[in-house]
Amino acid sequence: APVGLALSRLSQTPVLQTIHHTPTPEEIAAEAYHIYMGRGALSPFVVAQLKEEVAPSTTVSLGAPANAAGWHKADVGLTLTSLDNEGGSGVESLTYSASGAQATPETTVAGGTATINVTAEGTTTVTFAARDADANVEETKTFIVKLDKTAPTVSVNSPTADAVYTVGQSVAADFDCNDTLAGVVTCAGTADDGAAVNTATAGTRAFVVNASD
């Protein structure tokens, strides 16, 4: 512990007397404390604090999961959560931005939590990194969000709407399914594309095509 010196009054001859003072946590936190010298005299004694060198770590959680292909069909809420190591100085700020379908300028928030709502269809790349109170900065991370809120389109070329066919007439099914973002997963009609449509008996029939992305 730091040592101070004071003169004792118990002898006519000056005698050096040792006075010990141990700094409190509050004094150390202030990065300076004093030792007592003589009658209440104070002398500054600077204490260097050891700073940790471990950066925070940020994780991403989603309001709803994506499908097997990684696409969402409704607006997506992302929550960024940063944590510092045990015994660390604590997360000071979190910086994020986004590019692609939904561009977001670089934004810094105090603390270790941020929420981003992705509403633009397409692919958005979110970039982020946290900083702790000792100025340790996390290595930049990215997270990709793919959003497709639009259902596939279906075009039926044959049989045509309101067409009249004779019994036994040869009519081939002709249809297409399209999706510009996530892509078509299923596209199925009452008859397969290119296959014969049922005209074996008289009556009114519906030709239906279902598509999913």
Side-chain angles (χ1 to χ4, degrees), residues 9-29:
R9 288 187 167 190
L10 301 179
S11 172
Q12 293 181 349
T13 302
V15 176
L16 293 177
Q17 182 181 42
T18 301
I19 298 174
H20 296 277
H21 171 66
T22 301
T24 66
E26 290 76 13
E27 291 171 324
I28 292 177

Side-chain angles (χ1 to χ4, degrees), residues 97-104 116-126 147:
S97 62
S99 60
Q102 182 171 311
T104 303
I116 305 168
N117 292 314
V118 178
T119 60
E121 290 189 293
T123 301
T124 297
T125 300
V126 180
L147 178 59

Side-chain angles (χ1 to χ4, degrees), residues 2-83:
V3 176
L5 301 177
L7 293 178
S8 170
R9 288 187 167 190
L10 301 179
S11 172
Q12 293 181 349
T13 302
V15 176
L16 293 177
Q17 182 181 42
T18 301
I19 298 174
H20 296 277
H21 171 66
T22 301
T24 66
E26 290 76 13
E27 291 171 324
I28 292 177
E31 298 192 9
Y33 67 89
H34 298 78
I35 56 174
Y36 294 94
M37 300 185 66
R39 295 184 178 180
L42 297 175
S43 176
F45 186 86
V46 177
V47 177
Q49 286 186 307
L50 294 177
K51 295 185 176 181
E52 53 118 354
E53 297 181 348
V54 180
S57 179
T58 305
T59 57
V60 180
S61 57
L62 298 172
N67 65 14
W71 286 88
H72 296 264
K73 64 179 182 180
D75 295 345
V76 184
L78 274 76
T79 299
L80 306 178
T81 304
S82 302
L83 296 174

